[in-house]
Amino acid sequence: MSTIARGTFVNLGARLAAIALGVSITVLTARMGTTAQGQFALLTSVETLLLALFSGFGVALARRVSYGGERPRQILGATIWACLALGTACAVVLAGLSMASTGVYGLLWILALSAPLLLLPASLTGIWLGQGRMGPIGLVTVAGPLLTLVFFAGFWFADPSLTAGKVVAMLLSWALARLVVGLVVLARFWSEATQGQQDWSPLRRDIPFIAIIGLANLVGLMNYRVDLFLVEHYLGLASTGVYSIAIMVAELLWLLSSAVTQAAYARIGLPDRDTAARLVVRIVHGNLMVLLLAAPALYLAARFVLPWLLGPAYGDASLLLVILLPGVLSYGAASPLSAYFTNHAGRPQVPALVAGLSMLINVALCVALIPRIGIIGGAVATTVSYVISVIVLLLLFARHAGISAAVLAKPDLRAMGRYVLAILGRGTLESQNRTP
């Protein structure tokens, strides 16, 4: 079995487990009512935005390992202290926003509890990402939602009526889970980070790269979530709760594509441009085939399961899903392109600018459509912006990699078949050196 296939299986298994646990959390919050689901979705999205803003630390470590072949032990300590300082600053900001807010964001103080350690897991696991070690990353991925459910069960056992508030109990469970995961990851790397003299100079040299990565990921995530915030602004929390369910289900399509991209991340970062580009093309075409097969099945499952699982209040989520799926599918298929520019080319500003373009289109269309056609306008805006941004990114990739756009537009069916065999463990993505 190829290393990418093996890593994909491990990563996919962890993501499936995390998705199952995440769905359990969503079911619990959704059954609290559409307003409660909308509030939980918005608040956790704020935390996710913070993670995106400072995600460059992990990517910088991964690139030093995969592209530079380094063992960056010396800068681990500097990275840890930087993440602790920035996490503490985030805690202060969240607490301040909570005190200043009288509405939905008044509960941000709960997320401030875990913010000092929030950045450590995603940052320090960049070492494993650069080494292609999906197992430890999978454990960290699963631990968060699993512990959230464990803590929530503890709150419920202590007070079955949850008189303090169901959403408060779930948010506290969420924050405590992140606090525990942060402590465990810190303990794992602490001894290695404190051996020898700490060297801050590599981290200082990486600051521009880290800042660009953070901005790129923040803009990218805002592109994914700006419609959610605009739905809340125009239509309120109840509509936001329904819309968040449609988004969550649609983004399940990214489960396989992101698992493959992450497993191949180290090899996409190899210095040889032709090798990296050929691998990216195969993954894009393979992702497209797999997601085209998965999308109808996902819709049919959601069409019948969502009303039964969550209640009739979420019936509109199925219609929104039909509109969202084309855009989410195209974005998922193109996920290796961002890895190519970030890890191989060292130009994270390229996907950042494309994501910024997508976000601007999304915001403009949301502002124009949501007041006129309601919640459907958000879904239309998201799909249009995704498709346009993927086309632009494909053209930029073809130019940089020296690949004909026709090759990207006309997938090689034999190569796609080999891709599937590789993912099944019956072939290798690494050994397929056919020039596209």
Side-chain angles (χ1 to χ4, degrees):
M1 181 183 293
S2 72
T3 56
I4 294 180
R6 186 182 304 109
T8 298
F9 274 123
V10 172
N11 198 4
L12 183 58
R15 286 172 179 267
L16 284 171
I19 288 293
L21 295 167
V23 168
S24 299
I25 295 171
T26 300
V27 169
L28 288 171
T29 56
R31 284 187 169 274
M32 297 174 192
T34 54
T35 298
Q37 168 60 25
Q39 187 175 28
F40 183 78
L42 283 175
L43 292 177
T44 53
S45 292
V46 171
E47 181 187 84
T48 306
L49 290 174
L50 290 177
L51 283 170
L53 179 60
F54 299 108
S55 58
F57 288 99
V59 177
L61 285 174
R63 191 166 191 265
R64 282 187 172 274
V65 174
S66 64
Y67 188 87
E70 301 179 32
R71 292 182 59 83
R73 176 180 299 175
Q74 291 181 323
I75 66 169
L76 266 177
T79 301
I80 288 173
W81 287 113
C83 289
L84 288 173
L86 290 169
T88 302
C90 290
V92 172
V93 171
L94 290 173
L97 290 174
S98 177
M99 289 187 291
S101 176
T102 57
V104 62
Y105 300 104
L107 294 178
L108 282 174
W109 65 268
I110 299 177
L111 300 183
L113 298 176
S114 60
L117 299 180
L118 179 66
L119 307 180
L120 289 176
S123 298
L124 299 184
T125 53
I127 298 290
W128 295 326
L129 179 60
Q131 296 169 341
R133 297 177 60 192
M134 296 296 106
I137 295 176
L139 290 176
V140 173
T141 301
V142 172
L146 177 61
L147 288 174
T148 299
L149 289 172
V150 170
F151 286 126
F152 185 76
F155 282 120
W156 179 82
F157 182 78
D159 180 13
S161 63
L162 294 175
T163 53
K166 295 179 180 179
V167 176
V168 171
M170 184 60 79
L171 285 170
L172 281 171
S173 302
W174 182 274
L176 288 172
R178 268 137 187 78
L179 191 63
V180 171
V181 173
L183 286 171
V184 171
V185 173
L186 176 61
R188 164 61 181 82
F189 286 100
W190 181 254
S191 60
E192 183 178 358
T194 53
Q195 291 177 2
Q197 185 177 3
Q198 295 181 17
D199 186 359
W200 285 81
S201 57
L203 183 60
R204 285 195 292 268
R205 288 195 298 269
D206 282 344
I207 286 176
F209 181 80
I210 291 171
I212 293 172
I213 287 290
L215 180 62
N217 287 341
L218 178 64
V219 172
L221 186 62
M222 281 298 296
N223 183 39
Y224 302 151
R225 292 292 176 264
V226 67
D227 50 337
L228 187 72
F229 288 98
L230 289 172
V231 167
E232 190 277 330
H233 174 73
Y234 285 111
L235 304 178
L237 281 175
S239 295
T240 305
V242 176
Y243 193 79
S244 69
I245 293 297
I247 291 175
M248 183 202 72
V249 175
E251 291 179 356
L252 289 176
L253 277 183
W254 292 343
L255 178 63
L256 180 58
S257 61
S258 59
V260 176
T261 299
Q262 192 171 36
Y265 194 84
R267 292 189 173 275
I268 292 174
L270 292 175
D272 184 72
R273 187 190 70 170
D274 291 340
T275 300
R278 285 195 296 268
L279 179 59
V280 167
V281 171
R282 286 193 295 272
I283 295 177
V284 168
H285 288 166
N287 281 348
L288 179 62
M289 180 178 65
V290 171
L291 296 181
L292 282 172
L293 294 173
L298 179 64
Y299 169 74
L300 290 175
R303 176 69 178 82
F304 295 102
V305 171
L306 285 181
W308 169 77
L309 190 63
L310 305 181
Y314 295 90
D316 289 344
S318 297
L319 175 59
L320 296 173
L321 185 59
V322 173
I323 302 171
L324 287 168
L325 279 177
V328 171
L329 186 153
S330 61
Y331 229 83
S335 62
L337 301 178
S338 293
Y340 172 86
F341 281 110
T342 298
N343 200 30
H344 169 75
R347 299 178 61 188
Q349 63 270 26
V350 174
L353 290 173
V354 174
L357 170 65
S358 179
M359 184 179 69
L360 291 175
I361 296 172
N362 202 348
V363 169
L365 290 177
C366 279
V367 171
L369 296 177
I370 292 176
R372 291 171 173 78
I373 60 177
I375 198 171
I376 292 176
V380 172
T382 297
T383 286
V384 171
S385 65
Y386 282 8
V387 171
I388 292 175
S389 64
V390 166
I391 293 173
V392 172
L393 193 57
L394 282 169
L395 293 175
L396 292 174
F397 166 75
R399 180 179 179 181
H400 185 276
I403 293 174
S404 170
V407 172
L408 292 170
K410 296 180 180 180
D412 185 334
L413 295 180
R414 291 184 179 179
M416 293 171 71
R418 290 195 298 269
Y419 169 94
V420 174
L421 290 176
I423 298 305
L424 293 175
R426 299 177 181 179
T428 63
L429 284 171
E430 297 98 317
S431 62
Q432 298 169 23
N433 293 320
R434 181 177 177 181
T435 303

